[in-house]
Amino acid sequence: MKVAYIFNSTNAHKILDSMIIPQLESGTHGVEVLGMFFFMDNTMFLMKGNPVGERLNELHKKTGMIIMGCDQCTIERGIEDKLVDGATIGCFPNLYACLGSAGIDQVITL
């Protein structure tokens, strides 16, 4: 199964750091994650130097997984030019363009 995650909740750090990322790193997540989209303060995970962002960047390099921050959210926080190398910024149309032909089975919002 191919999935994409949208991170909007205040619990995103715990979910990523102690569940999803370790499973992806060990190959035990059980699905193919094609993309992750971050909203509001969750965009801060994508900053250079943030341990979560650095781990996501390594997964991006290994798998090609898309890691994208909401454009307005990153700009509002002044981090649009401080993201890990593999991260991009965009809005839903950009996300659709990146994932549209990938055959996503499910989008999960956390």
Side-chain angles (χ1 to χ4, degrees):
M1 180 185 317
K2 297 177 182 180
V3 303
Y5 287 110
I6 296 176
F7 292 97
N8 191 42
S9 78
T10 56
N11 295 319
H13 183 270
K14 180 176 181 167
I15 294 166
L16 279 165
D17 194 44
S18 65
M19 298 176 210
I20 294 174
I21 292 175
Q23 291 170 359
L24 289 171
E25 290 170 336
S26 68
T28 61
H29 193 57
V31 297
E32 184 179 357
V33 179
L34 299 182
M36 295 186 180
F37 192 63
F38 296 82
F39 278 102
M40 307 305 285
D41 287 342
N42 293 326
T43 58
M44 303 294 275
F45 296 137
L46 301 179
M47 285 183 60
K48 288 180 182 172
N50 182 299
V52 170
E54 297 295 342
R55 290 169 74 192
L56 288 171
N57 189 40
E58 289 303 313
L59 288 166
H60 162 76
K61 288 182 207 175
K62 181 178 176 183
T63 67
M65 174 183 70
I66 294 162
I67 48 176
M68 183 181 290
C70 164
D71 54 357
Q72 290 183 23
C73 300
T74 57
I75 292 167
E76 286 172 0
R77 286 154 184 78
I79 62 168
E80 68 274 15
D81 59 348
K82 299 174 181 145
L83 303 180
V84 293
D85 293 335
T88 62
I89 63 171
C91 197
F92 278 108
N94 305 107
L95 183 64
Y96 303 149
C98 291
L99 296 175
S101 63
I104 297 285
D105 297 303
Q106 190 168 17
V107 176
I108 302 164
T109 302
L110 300 169

